[in-house]
């Protein structure tokens, strides 16, 4: 009965590959997010979706493409992976658009070699 | 104007001591100030939050102090315990956006 779940937890891949991270929330929230956390622990928002519509798209390379098949799922697809993409990616959800009460998933540690 | 400045970057406190983490903001449109706690290998989790109409909020050993005129707020952890060792993020929200501080790594010495 995990509120926000992500798969996989760890992802090791080579430069140039394409990979996806999946996220699901069972809280009934309308808004979902993707964050990137670098080695210095800085949390950077990448995307925000409200009821399947893209709301926020921060300055993120277009190799990153979010997909929301329904409001409970927000997947992240990354093309042509680069070394600098190595980070922990967190999915989160909130009841309200831009809501400060966010529920985070456990994270996906992506390592690009 | 959209930044939330958090300090210190890292903090070491003896068990039983008081841990204090400070944040400052510029945008007066912010109306909700949460703190998140993140343990290693886990996602951030909401710890405590405050609205600007009150100057202090306490939940157990955790207290937020809020100074609206100075545009500053802080987290105080009383009787700090080794289990409090984590990264803490302050944040500020204006309803349509949330901005996180850069985080403080707190280590409580046993």
């Amino acid at each position: 009965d995990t509120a926000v779940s992500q798969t996989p937890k760890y992802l090791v891949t080579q430069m140039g590959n394409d990979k996806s991270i999946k996220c699901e929330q069972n809280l009934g929230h309308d808004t979902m997010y993707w964050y990137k956390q670098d080695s210095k622990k800085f949390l950077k928002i990448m995307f925000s979706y409200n009821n399947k519509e893209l709301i926020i798209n921060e300055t993120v390379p277009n190799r990153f493409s979010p997909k929301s098949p329904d409001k409970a799922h927000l997947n992240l697809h990354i093309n042509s992976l680069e070394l600098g993409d190595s980070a922990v990616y967190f999915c989160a959800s909130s009841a309200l658009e831009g809501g400060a009460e966010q529920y985070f998933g456990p994270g996906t540690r992506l390592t690009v070699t | 104007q959209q930044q939330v400045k958090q300090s210190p970057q890292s903090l070491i406190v003896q068990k039983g001591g008081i841990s204090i983490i400070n944040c400052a903001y510029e945008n007066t449109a912010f109306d909700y100030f949460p703190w998140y706690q993140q343990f290693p290998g886990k996602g951030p989790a909401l710890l405590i939050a405050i609205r600007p109409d009150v100057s202090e909020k306490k939940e157990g050993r955790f207290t937020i102090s809020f100074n609206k005129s100075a545009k500053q707020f802080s987290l105080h952890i009383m009787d700090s315990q080794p289990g409090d060792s984590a990264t803490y993020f302050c944040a500020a929200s204006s309803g349509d956006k949330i901005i996180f501080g850069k985080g403080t790594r707190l280590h409580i010495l046993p």
Side-chain angles (χ1 to χ4, degrees):
Chain A
D1 58 345
T2 304
V4 182
S5 58
Q6 293 178 232
T7 54
K9 187 163 177 63
Y10 300 97
L11 187 52
V12 181
T13 188
Q14 293 185 327
M15 285 176 56
N17 285 349
D18 303 339
K19 291 293 179 185
S20 292
I21 306 172
K22 295 185 176 181
C23 177
E24 177 181 1
Q25 55 96 2
N26 62 7
L27 298 168
H29 289 166
D30 285 337
T31 307
M32 296 183 72
Y33 311 82
W34 277 110
Y35 287 86
K36 179 180 180 181
Q37 187 172 49
D38 60 25
S39 58
K40 294 184 178 179
K41 296 289 189 179
F42 182 48
L43 269 175
K44 178 182 175 184
I45 190 167
M46 301 173 68
F47 301 102
S48 166
Y49 264 76
N50 181 262
N51 207 9
K52 301 197 301 176
E53 286 191 28
L54 180 64
I55 304 299
I56 294 174
N57 182 356
E58 295 292 333
T59 307
V60 175
N62 58 15
R63 299 182 294 104
F64 291 79
S65 53
K67 292 281 194 303
S68 182
D70 56 61
K71 74 173 192 176
H73 296 83
L74 181 62
N75 304 323
L76 184 65
H77 189 75
I78 315 170
N79 290 328
S80 304
L81 278 155
E82 300 178 356
L83 292 176
D85 297 332
S86 295
V88 180
Y89 292 85
F90 287 101
C91 176
S93 72
S94 66
L96 301 174
E97 182 181 327
E101 293 185 14
Q102 299 197 3
Y103 293 79
F104 283 79
T108 295
R109 181 174 292 278
L110 172 64
T111 303
V112 182
T113 61
Chain B
Q1 262 213 332
Q2 290 293 331
Q3 282 189 342
V4 176
K5 295 182 179 178
Q6 182 172 349
S7 62
Q9 275 191 319
S10 62
L11 181 62
I12 299 174
V13 176
Q14 291 280 352
K15 179 182 174 183
I18 302 174
S19 304
I20 302 174
I21 304 170
N22 301 300
C23 285
Y25 64 98
E26 296 177 356
N27 188 345
T28 55
F30 290 139
D31 60 2
Y32 190 72
F33 301 88
W35 284 88
Y36 283 79
Q37 179 188 55
Q38 183 182 23
F39 292 109
K42 305 289 185 184
L46 181 64
L47 179 65
I48 186 174
I50 196 168
R51 293 200 180 276
D53 53 347
V54 297
S55 60
E56 185 175 284
K57 183 173 182 180
K58 185 176 181 180
E59 290 184 3
R61 294 184 295 107
F62 299 89
T63 300
I64 301 178
S65 296
F66 189 85
N67 186 330
K68 189 173 181 179
S69 60
K71 292 186 281 187
Q72 295 174 347
F73 58 109
S74 59
L75 176 69
H76 296 236
I77 307 174
M78 311 300 286
D79 187 26
S80 298
Q81 299 297 311
D84 298 329
S85 297
T87 299
Y88 292 81
F89 295 92
C90 65
S93 170
S94 59
D96 62 347
K97 198 165 188 177
I98 181 171
I99 307 294
F100 284 91
K102 292 193 174 183
T104 296
R105 295 194 197 201
L106 174 64
H107 182 65
I108 307 300
L109 297 173

